Amino acid sequence: MSETGLGAVAQSSQEILSEDPTASLRRIVPDHEPVAPEDAESESNWGFEDTRFEVDARGHVRLTGDRYALSGAELVDLLPWARELLDLTLDPSHVNPSQYPTPIPPPNPHAAFEEELRRALSGDQLSTDPRVRLRHGHGQTQEEMYAIKYDQIERVPDLVIFPESEADIEAIVAAATRFDVCLIPFGGGTNVSEALLCPRDEERSIVSVDMGRMNRVLWIDPEDHTACIEAGARGRDIQKTLERHGFTIGHEPDSVEFSTLGGWIATHASGMKKNRYGNIEDIVLDLRAITPLGVIGHHAALARESIGTDIRRALFGSEGNFGIVTRATVRIRPIPEVQKFGSVLFHSFEDGFAFVRDVERELSEERLQPSSIRLVDNVQFQFSQALKPKPTGWKAYRSALERWWVTGPLGYDPQEMVACTLVFEGTADEVRLQEKRLYAIAKRHRGMKGGAANGERGYQLTFAIAYIRDFMMKHFILAESFETTVPWSQALDLCRNTKQRLWQEHAKHGLPGKPFVTCRITQIYNTGVCVYFYFGHSYQGIEDPTGTYAEIERAARDEILRNGGSLSHHHGIGKLRRDFLPLVKSEANLEATRRFKHALDPANVFGASNQ
């Protein structure tokens, strides 16, 4: 760490402790654990370097590594199911080999800026390595991932800087302002909104500011149930550190292993357990950010205040346009006494939808909702079944008997049935009451308990299944997800019409086989729900695969808006959805945002051009 960085850490600590003269007596300063070498992340695929789906010598799919419950299992049914669903051959030996790294544009350096920063920072805090620059020039949309393997990213950052303190960031912002350099903050690189793509018309030198070294939990206050965390801390590391001291932040987006606190704030994120812990805006009490105007911060992190306009709230969803979030004080909760998983089978998506609606209406006032409740449609239910390892011995007999019982005497149609996965948390008494009330509601809607094992498997599958997108891309399938919020009264129509539109667009573009079209409800609110859509298609023989996909996705987004849905629930806008903003915001709203941006950053130092 540079001398500047060390001094800033000491200064920051004094600032934090000055909130309360007695705070230092009770606050815990956790030991900081550096990222382990075995936790290296892949440059060219989603997730960890040691984890990927691949086809084994027997022609069956396996997930490498040992990180997930699915790891190492032979998935005999996956390819046969995909062939039938997509109406494609899907020969395991027929692959589109990755060309990563595809051509990397030459840098557009600013010598004076770099010279000043090299004097202020240590040598390893700046990098012009082409592959480092490439990784910092994209997020995780299928278009971006396709480009780094088979095409080209048109522009990537010219320099990557790794600050280690707020003082480092202040020096970076000051130098960028003085030398007219463009800054783009970088967290975990997991966004699916093209937020990290460099603007094509940007003529200035572009610098990526990687927050990965500012990744510490600075303190935990066990009395006030708060913690101060640097913005570059990844979700998995926040979880581990807090758990060692008996606490949890409770924020679990699908990307929690790789996304960062700063990224959650910048994208206005939501998590799978929001029913119990809230969305990110409910969790964050205070934050600090460095802007060209100066430091945005507060004297203390309080439960609630009425002190006029709170500029800090403008940082939620700002997507790197206003400045760099450096740290935040968050609410934490004791690790719940009991965590139980559950699942319910329903005869149809409509039955499952009525169930989750009634859970919200009847249990939210009493705070008896499960921490997480997610309803998948039939295609996604079938997908999860195809990802089950083939049972052997007595387990195979039991599985066949259960299938016969469910689809025979109980009358569940394999082509219509759906599933809901549940996570209950609280004291033993609270969880018992949650289960009792919820399963009574399920029974009213012809629901049948599916068991804790299936519930846990369904919840944990979220993290492993993220790796399948890159596997399918290698086998000539493009797939992506997109989400929305919609009122209860319009949700079923939106799901039905958006799926139908995707099928129509697939046919209109003359794409091979059939599309992968599915949705699930992931978060519930008093007035509506978050719906996640997944769409995939073969790009075999298609001249412009990602351009075609983008056209279809835009058509789906248009259909979502026409059916009363939001532009995004938690992925954000970035560059991917910004053309839709005039349809959902008034001109005065847009102009106010532009003027606020100009007030904070008149020279457009933070020139990511998101939104």
Short mmCIF file of all heavy atoms in Angstrom, two decimals, residues 37-88:
data_model
loop_
_atom_site.label_atom_id
_atom_site.label_comp_id
_atom_site.label_asym_id
_atom_site.label_seq_id
_atom_site.Cartn_x
_atom_site.Cartn_y
_atom_site.Cartn_z
N PRO A 37 -5.78 -18.01 -3.48
CA PRO A 37 -5.45 -18.34 -4.87
C PRO A 37 -6.45 -19.30 -5.50
O PRO A 37 -6.74 -19.20 -6.70
CB PRO A 37 -4.06 -18.97 -4.76
CG PRO A 37 -3.49 -18.44 -3.49
CD PRO A 37 -4.66 -18.26 -2.56
N GLU A 38 -7.00 -20.23 -4.70
CA GLU A 38 -7.94 -21.20 -5.26
C GLU A 38 -9.29 -20.56 -5.61
O GLU A 38 -10.12 -21.19 -6.26
CB GLU A 38 -8.17 -22.36 -4.28
CG GLU A 38 -8.74 -21.96 -2.94
CD GLU A 38 -7.66 -21.68 -1.90
OE1 GLU A 38 -6.52 -21.38 -2.31
OE2 GLU A 38 -7.97 -21.76 -0.70
N ASP A 39 -9.49 -19.32 -5.20
CA ASP A 39 -10.73 -18.61 -5.53
C ASP A 39 -10.57 -17.71 -6.74
O ASP A 39 -11.35 -16.77 -6.95
CB ASP A 39 -11.21 -17.79 -4.34
CG ASP A 39 -11.79 -18.66 -3.24
OD1 ASP A 39 -12.17 -19.80 -3.54
OD2 ASP A 39 -11.86 -18.20 -2.08
N ALA A 40 -9.57 -18.00 -7.57
CA ALA A 40 -9.36 -17.20 -8.78
C ALA A 40 -10.60 -17.25 -9.67
O ALA A 40 -11.22 -18.30 -9.83
CB ALA A 40 -8.15 -17.73 -9.54
N GLU A 41 -10.95 -16.11 -10.23
CA GLU A 41 -12.13 -16.02 -11.10
C GLU A 41 -11.71 -16.10 -12.56
O GLU A 41 -10.63 -15.66 -12.95
CB GLU A 41 -12.89 -14.72 -10.81
CG GLU A 41 -13.45 -14.66 -9.40
CD GLU A 41 -14.11 -13.34 -9.06
OE1 GLU A 41 -14.50 -12.62 -10.00
OE2 GLU A 41 -14.23 -13.03 -7.86
N SER A 42 -12.59 -16.65 -13.36
CA SER A 42 -12.32 -16.81 -14.78
C SER A 42 -12.34 -15.46 -15.50
O SER A 42 -13.15 -14.60 -15.18
CB SER A 42 -13.37 -17.73 -15.41
OG SER A 42 -13.22 -17.78 -16.82
N GLU A 43 -11.44 -15.29 -16.46
CA GLU A 43 -11.44 -14.08 -17.27
C GLU A 43 -12.46 -14.16 -18.40
O GLU A 43 -13.03 -13.15 -18.79
CB GLU A 43 -10.06 -13.86 -17.91
CG GLU A 43 -8.96 -13.50 -16.93
CD GLU A 43 -7.64 -13.26 -17.64
OE1 GLU A 43 -7.45 -13.81 -18.75
OE2 GLU A 43 -6.80 -12.53 -17.09
N SER A 44 -12.72 -15.37 -18.88
CA SER A 44 -13.50 -15.52 -20.11
C SER A 44 -14.88 -16.13 -19.90
O SER A 44 -15.65 -16.22 -20.85
CB SER A 44 -12.73 -16.38 -21.12
OG SER A 44 -12.45 -17.66 -20.57
N ASN A 45 -15.17 -16.58 -18.68
CA ASN A 45 -16.48 -17.19 -18.39
C ASN A 45 -16.99 -16.65 -17.06
O ASN A 45 -16.28 -15.99 -16.32
CB ASN A 45 -16.35 -18.72 -18.28
CG ASN A 45 -16.00 -19.37 -19.61
OD1 ASN A 45 -16.65 -19.16 -20.61
ND2 ASN A 45 -14.91 -20.14 -19.61
N TRP A 46 -18.23 -16.98 -16.77
CA TRP A 46 -18.79 -16.63 -15.48
C TRP A 46 -18.12 -17.43 -14.37
O TRP A 46 -17.85 -18.61 -14.54
CB TRP A 46 -20.30 -16.93 -15.46
CG TRP A 46 -20.90 -16.77 -14.09
CD1 TRP A 46 -21.06 -17.72 -13.13
CD2 TRP A 46 -21.38 -15.55 -13.51
NE1 TRP A 46 -21.62 -17.18 -11.99
CE2 TRP A 46 -21.82 -15.84 -12.20
CE3 TRP A 46 -21.48 -14.23 -13.98
CZ2 TRP A 46 -22.36 -14.87 -11.36
CZ3 TRP A 46 -22.01 -13.27 -13.15
CH2 TRP A 46 -22.45 -13.60 -11.85
N GLY A 47 -17.86 -16.80 -13.24
CA GLY A 47 -17.54 -17.53 -12.02
C GLY A 47 -16.09 -17.87 -11.79
O GLY A 47 -15.17 -17.25 -12.33
N PHE A 48 -15.90 -18.92 -10.98
CA PHE A 48 -14.57 -19.35 -10.59
C PHE A 48 -13.86 -20.08 -11.73
O PHE A 48 -14.49 -20.79 -12.53
CB PHE A 48 -14.65 -20.27 -9.37
CG PHE A 48 -15.14 -19.59 -8.12
CD1 PHE A 48 -16.40 -19.83 -7.62
CD2 PHE A 48 -14.31 -18.71 -7.44
CE1 PHE A 48 -16.84 -19.21 -6.47
CE2 PHE A 48 -14.74 -18.07 -6.28
CZ PHE A 48 -16.01 -18.32 -5.79
N GLU A 49 -12.55 -19.94 -11.75
CA GLU A 49 -11.74 -20.54 -12.81
C GLU A 49 -11.85 -22.06 -12.83
O GLU A 49 -11.80 -22.69 -13.88
CB GLU A 49 -10.27 -20.13 -12.62
CG GLU A 49 -9.32 -20.64 -13.68
CD GLU A 49 -9.59 -20.06 -15.05
OE1 GLU A 49 -9.87 -18.86 -15.13
OE2 GLU A 49 -9.54 -20.83 -16.04
N ASP A 50 -12.03 -22.68 -11.65
CA ASP A 50 -12.03 -24.14 -11.58
C ASP A 50 -13.41 -24.76 -11.80
O ASP A 50 -13.57 -25.98 -11.66
CB ASP A 50 -11.47 -24.61 -10.23
CG ASP A 50 -12.31 -24.13 -9.05
OD1 ASP A 50 -13.37 -23.51 -9.27
OD2 ASP A 50 -11.91 -24.38 -7.89
N THR A 51 -14.40 -23.96 -12.15
CA THR A 51 -15.77 -24.45 -12.27
C THR A 51 -16.33 -24.17 -13.66
O THR A 51 -16.33 -23.02 -14.10
CB THR A 51 -16.68 -23.81 -11.20
OG1 THR A 51 -16.11 -24.03 -9.91
CG2 THR A 51 -18.07 -24.40 -11.24
N ARG A 52 -16.81 -25.20 -14.32
CA ARG A 52 -17.43 -25.04 -15.64
C ARG A 52 -18.18 -26.32 -15.98
O ARG A 52 -17.85 -27.40 -15.49
CB ARG A 52 -16.39 -24.75 -16.72
CG ARG A 52 -15.38 -25.87 -16.91
CD ARG A 52 -14.23 -25.47 -17.82
NE ARG A 52 -13.24 -26.56 -17.93
CZ ARG A 52 -12.29 -26.76 -17.04
NH1 ARG A 52 -12.16 -25.98 -15.98
NH2 ARG A 52 -11.43 -27.76 -17.20
N PHE A 53 -19.19 -26.20 -16.82
CA PHE A 53 -19.86 -27.37 -17.37
C PHE A 53 -19.05 -27.88 -18.56
O PHE A 53 -18.55 -27.09 -19.37
CB PHE A 53 -21.28 -27.01 -17.84
CG PHE A 53 -22.27 -26.89 -16.72
CD1 PHE A 53 -22.59 -25.65 -16.17
CD2 PHE A 53 -22.90 -28.01 -16.20
CE1 PHE A 53 -23.51 -25.53 -15.15
CE2 PHE A 53 -23.82 -27.91 -15.17
CZ PHE A 53 -24.12 -26.66 -14.64
N GLU A 54 -18.93 -29.18 -18.67
CA GLU A 54 -18.25 -29.78 -19.81
C GLU A 54 -18.84 -31.16 -20.09
O GLU A 54 -19.50 -31.75 -19.24
CB GLU A 54 -16.75 -29.89 -19.55
CG GLU A 54 -16.37 -30.77 -18.38
CD GLU A 54 -14.87 -30.81 -18.14
OE1 GLU A 54 -14.18 -29.87 -18.57
OE2 GLU A 54 -14.38 -31.78 -17.53
N VAL A 55 -18.59 -31.65 -21.29
CA VAL A 55 -19.07 -32.98 -21.69
C VAL A 55 -17.96 -33.99 -21.42
O VAL A 55 -16.82 -33.80 -21.86
CB VAL A 55 -19.48 -33.00 -23.17
CG1 VAL A 55 -19.94 -34.40 -23.57
CG2 VAL A 55 -20.59 -31.99 -23.43
N ASP A 56 -18.28 -35.08 -20.70
CA ASP A 56 -17.27 -36.08 -20.38
C ASP A 56 -17.15 -37.11 -21.50
O ASP A 56 -17.81 -37.02 -22.54
CB ASP A 56 -17.56 -36.75 -19.04
CG ASP A 56 -18.86 -37.55 -19.03
OD1 ASP A 56 -19.37 -37.91 -20.11
OD2 ASP A 56 -19.38 -37.83 -17.93
N ALA A 57 -16.29 -38.09 -21.31
CA ALA A 57 -16.01 -39.10 -22.33
C ALA A 57 -17.24 -39.93 -22.69
O ALA A 57 -17.32 -40.50 -23.78
CB ALA A 57 -14.87 -40.01 -21.87
N ARG A 58 -18.23 -40.00 -21.79
CA ARG A 58 -19.45 -40.77 -22.03
C ARG A 58 -20.53 -39.95 -22.71
O ARG A 58 -21.64 -40.43 -22.95
CB ARG A 58 -19.98 -41.32 -20.71
CG ARG A 58 -19.12 -42.45 -20.13
CD ARG A 58 -19.29 -42.56 -18.61
NE ARG A 58 -20.68 -42.64 -18.19
CZ ARG A 58 -21.39 -43.77 -18.07
NH1 ARG A 58 -20.81 -44.93 -18.37
NH2 ARG A 58 -22.63 -43.75 -17.64
N GLY A 59 -20.20 -38.69 -23.01
CA GLY A 59 -21.18 -37.83 -23.67
C GLY A 59 -22.17 -37.21 -22.72
O GLY A 59 -23.21 -36.70 -23.14
N HIS A 60 -21.86 -37.22 -21.42
CA HIS A 60 -22.74 -36.64 -20.41
C HIS A 60 -22.12 -35.35 -19.86
O HIS A 60 -20.91 -35.18 -19.86
CB HIS A 60 -22.98 -37.63 -19.27
CG HIS A 60 -23.62 -38.90 -19.73
ND1 HIS A 60 -23.36 -40.11 -19.14
CD2 HIS A 60 -24.50 -39.15 -20.73
CE1 HIS A 60 -24.04 -41.07 -19.75
NE2 HIS A 60 -24.74 -40.51 -20.71
N VAL A 61 -22.96 -34.49 -19.37
CA VAL A 61 -22.51 -33.19 -18.87
C VAL A 61 -22.13 -33.32 -17.39
O VAL A 61 -22.81 -33.99 -16.61
CB VAL A 61 -23.61 -32.13 -19.04
CG1 VAL A 61 -23.17 -30.78 -18.47
CG2 VAL A 61 -23.97 -31.98 -20.52
N ARG A 62 -21.03 -32.65 -17.02
CA ARG A 62 -20.60 -32.57 -15.62
C ARG A 62 -20.22 -31.14 -15.30
O ARG A 62 -19.79 -30.38 -16.18
CB ARG A 62 -19.37 -33.46 -15.36
CG ARG A 62 -19.62 -34.95 -15.40
CD ARG A 62 -18.33 -35.71 -15.09
NE ARG A 62 -18.49 -37.15 -15.24
CZ ARG A 62 -18.86 -37.98 -14.26
NH1 ARG A 62 -19.10 -37.47 -13.05
NH2 ARG A 62 -18.98 -39.27 -14.46
N LEU A 63 -20.34 -30.79 -14.03
CA LEU A 63 -19.84 -29.51 -13.54
C LEU A 63 -18.55 -29.79 -12.79
O LEU A 63 -18.53 -30.55 -11.82
CB LEU A 63 -20.87 -28.85 -12.61
CG LEU A 63 -20.49 -27.47 -12.06
CD1 LEU A 63 -20.38 -26.45 -13.19
CD2 LEU A 63 -21.50 -27.00 -11.02
N THR A 64 -17.47 -29.18 -13.25
CA THR A 64 -16.16 -29.44 -12.66
C THR A 64 -16.04 -28.78 -11.29
O THR A 64 -16.87 -27.96 -10.89
CB THR A 64 -15.03 -28.93 -13.57
OG1 THR A 64 -15.14 -27.50 -13.69
CG2 THR A 64 -15.12 -29.55 -14.95
N GLY A 65 -14.97 -29.12 -10.58
CA GLY A 65 -14.72 -28.54 -9.27
C GLY A 65 -15.52 -29.22 -8.18
O GLY A 65 -16.15 -30.26 -8.40
N ASP A 66 -15.51 -28.60 -7.00
CA ASP A 66 -16.23 -29.19 -5.87
C ASP A 66 -16.95 -28.13 -5.04
O ASP A 66 -17.23 -28.32 -3.86
CB ASP A 66 -15.27 -29.98 -4.98
CG ASP A 66 -14.12 -29.11 -4.45
OD1 ASP A 66 -14.13 -27.87 -4.69
OD2 ASP A 66 -13.23 -29.65 -3.79
N ARG A 67 -17.29 -27.00 -5.63
CA ARG A 67 -17.85 -25.88 -4.90
C ARG A 67 -19.35 -26.00 -4.64
O ARG A 67 -19.88 -25.41 -3.70
CB ARG A 67 -17.59 -24.57 -5.66
CG ARG A 67 -16.13 -24.24 -5.80
CD ARG A 67 -15.94 -22.94 -6.58
NE ARG A 67 -14.52 -22.66 -6.73
CZ ARG A 67 -13.78 -22.02 -5.84
NH1 ARG A 67 -14.36 -21.59 -4.72
NH2 ARG A 67 -12.50 -21.80 -6.04
N TYR A 68 -20.05 -26.72 -5.49
CA TYR A 68 -21.50 -26.74 -5.43
C TYR A 68 -22.01 -28.17 -5.28
O TYR A 68 -21.31 -29.14 -5.60
CB TYR A 68 -22.08 -26.11 -6.71
CG TYR A 68 -21.55 -24.72 -6.98
CD1 TYR A 68 -20.51 -24.52 -7.91
CD2 TYR A 68 -22.06 -23.61 -6.32
CE1 TYR A 68 -20.01 -23.25 -8.16
CE2 TYR A 68 -21.58 -22.33 -6.57
CZ TYR A 68 -20.54 -22.16 -7.48
OH TYR A 68 -20.04 -20.90 -7.73
N ALA A 69 -23.24 -28.29 -4.81
CA ALA A 69 -23.82 -29.62 -4.63
C ALA A 69 -23.87 -30.38 -5.95
O ALA A 69 -23.79 -31.61 -5.98
CB ALA A 69 -25.23 -29.49 -4.05
N LEU A 70 -23.99 -29.65 -7.04
CA LEU A 70 -24.07 -30.27 -8.37
C LEU A 70 -22.69 -30.69 -8.90
O LEU A 70 -22.60 -31.49 -9.85
CB LEU A 70 -24.71 -29.27 -9.33
CG LEU A 70 -25.32 -29.79 -10.63
CD1 LEU A 70 -26.46 -30.75 -10.35
CD2 LEU A 70 -25.83 -28.61 -11.48
N SER A 71 -21.63 -30.19 -8.31
CA SER A 71 -20.28 -30.44 -8.82
C SER A 71 -19.95 -31.93 -8.84
O SER A 71 -20.22 -32.65 -7.88
CB SER A 71 -19.24 -29.71 -7.95
OG SER A 71 -19.45 -28.33 -8.00
N GLY A 72 -19.37 -32.36 -9.95
CA GLY A 72 -18.92 -33.74 -10.09
C GLY A 72 -19.99 -34.73 -10.50
O GLY A 72 -19.67 -35.85 -10.90
N ALA A 73 -21.26 -34.35 -10.43
CA ALA A 73 -22.34 -35.29 -10.76
C ALA A 73 -22.47 -35.43 -12.28
O ALA A 73 -22.26 -34.48 -13.03
CB ALA A 73 -23.66 -34.80 -10.17
N GLU A 74 -22.81 -36.64 -12.70
CA GLU A 74 -23.04 -36.92 -14.12
C GLU A 74 -24.50 -36.60 -14.44
O GLU A 74 -25.42 -37.24 -13.92
CB GLU A 74 -22.72 -38.40 -14.42
CG GLU A 74 -22.67 -38.70 -15.91
CD GLU A 74 -22.21 -40.14 -16.16
OE1 GLU A 74 -22.77 -41.04 -15.52
OE2 GLU A 74 -21.31 -40.33 -16.98
N LEU A 75 -24.71 -35.62 -15.32
CA LEU A 75 -26.06 -35.14 -15.64
C LEU A 75 -26.52 -35.81 -16.94
O LEU A 75 -26.46 -35.24 -18.03
CB LEU A 75 -26.06 -33.62 -15.76
CG LEU A 75 -25.48 -32.89 -14.53
CD1 LEU A 75 -25.43 -31.39 -14.76
CD2 LEU A 75 -26.27 -33.23 -13.27
N VAL A 76 -27.00 -37.02 -16.80
CA VAL A 76 -27.34 -37.87 -17.94
C VAL A 76 -28.50 -37.28 -18.75
O VAL A 76 -28.55 -37.41 -19.98
CB VAL A 76 -27.71 -39.29 -17.46
CG1 VAL A 76 -28.16 -40.17 -18.62
CG2 VAL A 76 -26.51 -39.92 -16.75
N ASP A 77 -29.43 -36.62 -18.10
CA ASP A 77 -30.66 -36.20 -18.77
C ASP A 77 -30.58 -34.82 -19.41
O ASP A 77 -31.49 -34.44 -20.16
CB ASP A 77 -31.83 -36.19 -17.77
CG ASP A 77 -32.16 -37.58 -17.26
OD1 ASP A 77 -31.96 -38.55 -18.02
OD2 ASP A 77 -32.62 -37.69 -16.11
N LEU A 78 -29.54 -34.06 -19.14
CA LEU A 78 -29.53 -32.66 -19.57
C LEU A 78 -29.54 -32.51 -21.09
O LEU A 78 -30.40 -31.81 -21.64
CB LEU A 78 -28.33 -31.93 -18.98
CG LEU A 78 -28.22 -30.44 -19.34
CD1 LEU A 78 -29.48 -29.69 -18.91
CD2 LEU A 78 -26.99 -29.81 -18.72
N LEU A 79 -28.60 -33.13 -21.79
CA LEU A 79 -28.55 -32.96 -23.24
C LEU A 79 -29.78 -33.56 -23.93
O LEU A 79 -30.33 -32.93 -24.84
CB LEU A 79 -27.26 -33.56 -23.79
CG LEU A 79 -25.99 -32.72 -23.56
CD1 LEU A 79 -24.77 -33.42 -24.13
CD2 LEU A 79 -26.13 -31.33 -24.18
N PRO A 80 -30.23 -34.77 -23.56
CA PRO A 80 -31.45 -35.29 -24.18
C PRO A 80 -32.65 -34.35 -23.98
O PRO A 80 -33.44 -34.15 -24.92
CB PRO A 80 -31.68 -36.63 -23.48
CG PRO A 80 -30.31 -37.05 -23.07
CD PRO A 80 -29.60 -35.79 -22.70
N TRP A 81 -32.79 -33.79 -22.79
CA TRP A 81 -33.90 -32.87 -22.55
C TRP A 81 -33.76 -31.61 -23.41
O TRP A 81 -34.74 -31.13 -24.00
CB TRP A 81 -33.94 -32.48 -21.07
CG TRP A 81 -34.99 -31.45 -20.78
CD1 TRP A 81 -36.33 -31.66 -20.63
CD2 TRP A 81 -34.79 -30.04 -20.64
NE1 TRP A 81 -36.97 -30.47 -20.39
CE2 TRP A 81 -36.05 -29.45 -20.39
CE3 TRP A 81 -33.67 -29.22 -20.69
CZ2 TRP A 81 -36.22 -28.08 -20.20
CZ3 TRP A 81 -33.83 -27.85 -20.50
CH2 TRP A 81 -35.09 -27.31 -20.26
N ALA A 82 -32.55 -31.07 -23.50
CA ALA A 82 -32.32 -29.86 -24.30
C ALA A 82 -32.57 -30.13 -25.78
O ALA A 82 -33.14 -29.29 -26.48
CB ALA A 82 -30.89 -29.37 -24.08
N ARG A 83 -32.17 -31.31 -26.26
CA ARG A 83 -32.43 -31.65 -27.67
C ARG A 83 -33.93 -31.64 -27.98
O ARG A 83 -34.37 -31.11 -29.00
CB ARG A 83 -31.85 -33.03 -28.00
CG ARG A 83 -30.33 -33.09 -28.02
CD ARG A 83 -29.84 -34.45 -28.48
NE ARG A 83 -28.40 -34.57 -28.33
CZ ARG A 83 -27.80 -35.30 -27.41
NH1 ARG A 83 -28.52 -36.00 -26.54
NH2 ARG A 83 -26.49 -35.37 -27.35
N GLU A 84 -34.69 -32.23 -27.08
CA GLU A 84 -36.14 -32.30 -27.30
C GLU A 84 -36.78 -30.92 -27.19
O GLU A 84 -37.62 -30.55 -28.02
CB GLU A 84 -36.77 -33.25 -26.28
CG GLU A 84 -38.28 -33.41 -26.46
CD GLU A 84 -38.87 -34.40 -25.48
OE1 GLU A 84 -38.11 -35.00 -24.69
OE2 GLU A 84 -40.11 -34.56 -25.49
N LEU A 85 -36.39 -30.16 -26.18
CA LEU A 85 -36.99 -28.84 -25.98
C LEU A 85 -36.68 -27.90 -27.14
O LEU A 85 -37.57 -27.19 -27.64
CB LEU A 85 -36.48 -28.23 -24.68
CG LEU A 85 -37.04 -26.84 -24.36
CD1 LEU A 85 -38.44 -26.96 -23.78
CD2 LEU A 85 -36.13 -26.09 -23.39
N LEU A 86 -35.42 -27.88 -27.58
CA LEU A 86 -34.99 -26.95 -28.60
C LEU A 86 -35.15 -27.49 -30.02
O LEU A 86 -34.96 -26.74 -30.99
CB LEU A 86 -33.51 -26.58 -28.37
CG LEU A 86 -33.19 -25.92 -27.02
CD1 LEU A 86 -31.68 -25.78 -26.85
CD2 LEU A 86 -33.86 -24.56 -26.92
N ASP A 87 -35.48 -28.78 -30.12
CA ASP A 87 -35.63 -29.43 -31.43
C ASP A 87 -34.35 -29.27 -32.26
O ASP A 87 -34.36 -28.89 -33.43
CB ASP A 87 -36.82 -28.84 -32.18
CG ASP A 87 -37.23 -29.69 -33.39
OD1 ASP A 87 -36.90 -30.89 -33.42
OD2 ASP A 87 -37.87 -29.13 -34.31
N LEU A 88 -33.23 -29.58 -31.60
CA LEU A 88 -31.91 -29.48 -32.23
C LEU A 88 -31.12 -30.76 -31.99
O LEU A 88 -31.38 -31.50 -31.04
CB LEU A 88 -31.13 -28.30 -31.63
CG LEU A 88 -31.70 -26.90 -31.85
CD1 LEU A 88 -30.96 -25.90 -30.98
CD2 LEU A 88 -31.62 -26.49 -33.32
#
